[in-house]
Amino acid sequence: CRWRALLARPAAALRALRGLAAGPEMHFGFQSVTEEERREKIYQVFESVAKKYDVMNDSMTLGIHRVWKDILMHKMNPCPGTLLLDVAGGTGDIAFRFINYVRSVRERQLQRKLKHHQNLSWQEILENYQKDKFNSLGDSQVVVCDINREMLKVGKQKAQHLGYSEGLSWVLGNAEELPFDDDMFDVYTIAFGIRNVTRIDLALQEAYRVLKPGGRFLCLEFSHVSNPLLSRLYDLYSFQVIPVLGEVIAGDWKSYQYLVESIRRFPPQEELKAMIEDAGFFKVDYENLNFGIVAIHSGFKL
């Protein structure tokens, strides 16, 4: 009946066919949009906020996002030789932490080695330190992959300013169609990025594909608060304060309004856990931080 009515009205039929061609309706914050519109709008959001992204993260979370990312890195506990893919990591926060962490592990390994060889000469000790200096990551590599050119540009500038170059590369790519071969990486991370992916199921399938057997998936993302009182206070802060900060600091109310709304539309912890399992991962679990304001989901490709 519906199609007969549409065929009787050619203009309405044309709009319906265009809707089918554009794909099913999705959400952009609290708006309903097509898949292609959502992808374009999200790209524009991050193009707009890229230069103020780090400042706004500090302002919105009172700096706590740094602690959350440190916890993610300790949960990963990478060893020298680890190959990491950090998706939607344009500004480099996870990549730089990874490099620092692996360097620290290498330094401790060298100190233990020297401690157990008390009879080494001064020349031998010097040679060991010089060798470690030129291979401080132990063949570890981190590849930062982001769909947004502006975010990658900001990340590269930060890396240059902070002196990161060894073991670090930047790739323009879509989380739903990664430009990498199968079974390449030891660890896949995505921090505060998966809720902005248009098709989360495709992104999870791609994460599974590019990980080596035994590889680990780690996702840090805003989630659903378990405490009712805290949830109300959190909503008040999110909707009344964060867009204002966005306007004052970044001159962009709408982008930060979207970011707040996108958190509320994101699947809760158990639902995301089920999605990760559906993608093929095993031993999937999650850890709530700050009563579920954020959660770290973990899974393994076995």
Side-chain angles (χ1 to χ4, degrees):
C1 292
R2 178 174 177 265
W3 285 108
R4 285 197 199 99
L6 286 172
L7 290 171
R9 293 176 291 146
L14 184 59
R15 284 196 298 272
L17 289 171
R18 283 175 179 163
L20 285 174
E25 280 200 342
M26 312 190 85
H27 64 80
F28 175 77
F30 293 160
Q31 300 176 43
S32 291
V33 295
T34 66
E35 186 174 316
E36 188 55 41
E37 284 173 337
R38 184 178 194 272
R39 187 174 283 111
E40 178 60 29
K41 283 177 177 290
I42 289 174
Y43 189 93
Q44 290 171 356
V45 164
F46 285 93
E47 191 172 48
S48 171
V49 305
K51 291 179 181 177
K52 295 289 185 178
Y53 186 76
D54 291 329
V55 175
M56 276 301 301
N57 277 348
D58 281 333
S59 301
M60 289 190 303
T61 68
L62 307 178
I64 300 172
H65 75 100
R66 297 172 182 269
V67 177
W68 296 332
K69 290 168 183 172
D70 288 340
I71 293 171
L72 176 72
M73 194 52 55
H74 281 87
K75 197 173 184 72
M76 184 195 306
N77 190 25
C79 58
T82 298
L83 183 57
L84 168 66
L85 173 63
D86 182 39
V87 175
T91 59
D93 273 7
I94 301 301
F96 303 152
R97 280 171 170 77
F98 173 80
I99 290 171
N100 291 342
Y101 195 98
V102 173
R103 281 177 178 168
S104 178
V105 171
R106 287 279 292 170
E107 179 67 25
R108 290 197 299 272
Q109 286 178 344
L110 180 63
Q111 288 176 356
R112 284 197 298 270
K113 177 183 173 183
L114 294 177
K115 192 178 282 187
H116 286 94
H117 293 82
Q118 296 290 343
N119 58 342
L120 288 178
S121 68
W122 170 80
Q123 186 64 33
E124 288 170 323
I125 291 172
L126 180 63
E127 287 173 359
N128 270 288
Y129 266 107
Q130 287 177 335
K131 180 182 176 183
D132 185 66
K133 181 180 178 182
F134 289 110
N135 191 19
S136 63
L137 291 176
D139 299 321
S140 293
Q141 293 278 333
V142 52
V143 178
V144 179
C145 181
D146 201 294
I147 197 171
N148 194 288
R149 292 181 187 276
E150 281 300 310
M151 294 289 281
L152 285 173
K153 181 180 175 182
V154 170
K156 289 177 184 178
Q157 289 171 345
K158 278 176 62 181
Q160 187 175 15
H161 176 71
L162 296 171
Y164 292 102
S165 58
E166 179 194 8
L168 175 63
S169 56
W170 308 84
V171 175
L172 185 71
N174 186 344
E176 299 166 46
E177 196 175 351
L178 292 169
F180 307 108
D181 292 335
D182 298 355
D183 306 330
M184 272 193 67
F185 298 94
D186 300 301
V187 184
Y188 171 114
T189 53
I190 184 164
F192 303 116
I194 202 164
R195 77 179 188 282
N196 298 309
V197 169
T198 304
R199 289 280 304 277
I200 294 174
D201 58 336
L202 294 183
L204 292 173
Q205 290 167 23
E206 280 291 271
Y208 186 88
R209 180 183 67 79
V210 300
L211 279 170
K212 298 175 183 176
R216 189 175 192 183
F217 168 86
L218 285 166
C219 171
L220 171 64
E221 188 53 88
F222 289 107
S223 201
H224 289 246
V225 178
S226 55
N227 182 290
L229 176 60
L230 181 59
S231 180
R232 286 194 291 273
L233 293 173
Y234 181 46
D235 278 348
L236 185 67
Y237 174 75
S238 297
F239 288 100
Q240 301 300 321
V241 177
I242 288 177
V244 175
L245 286 174
E247 181 65 30
V248 171
I249 296 172
D252 191 341
W253 178 293
K254 287 184 178 179
S255 291
Y256 286 94
Q257 181 72 25
Y258 156 73
L259 291 173
V260 170
E261 292 174 359
S262 70
I263 294 169
R264 297 308 181 275
R265 295 298 300 264
F266 189 67
Q269 289 88 325
E270 283 292 332
E271 188 177 331
L272 181 59
K273 177 176 183 284
M275 293 174 74
I276 296 168
E277 289 171 336
D278 288 344
F281 289 100
F282 289 87
K283 292 181 64 66
V284 179
D285 62 13
Y286 61 87
E287 177 184 357
N288 284 329
L289 305 178
N290 296 95
F291 298 98
I293 289 178
V294 300
I296 298 175
H297 281 75
S298 170
F300 293 87
K301 177 178 177 177
L302 300 179

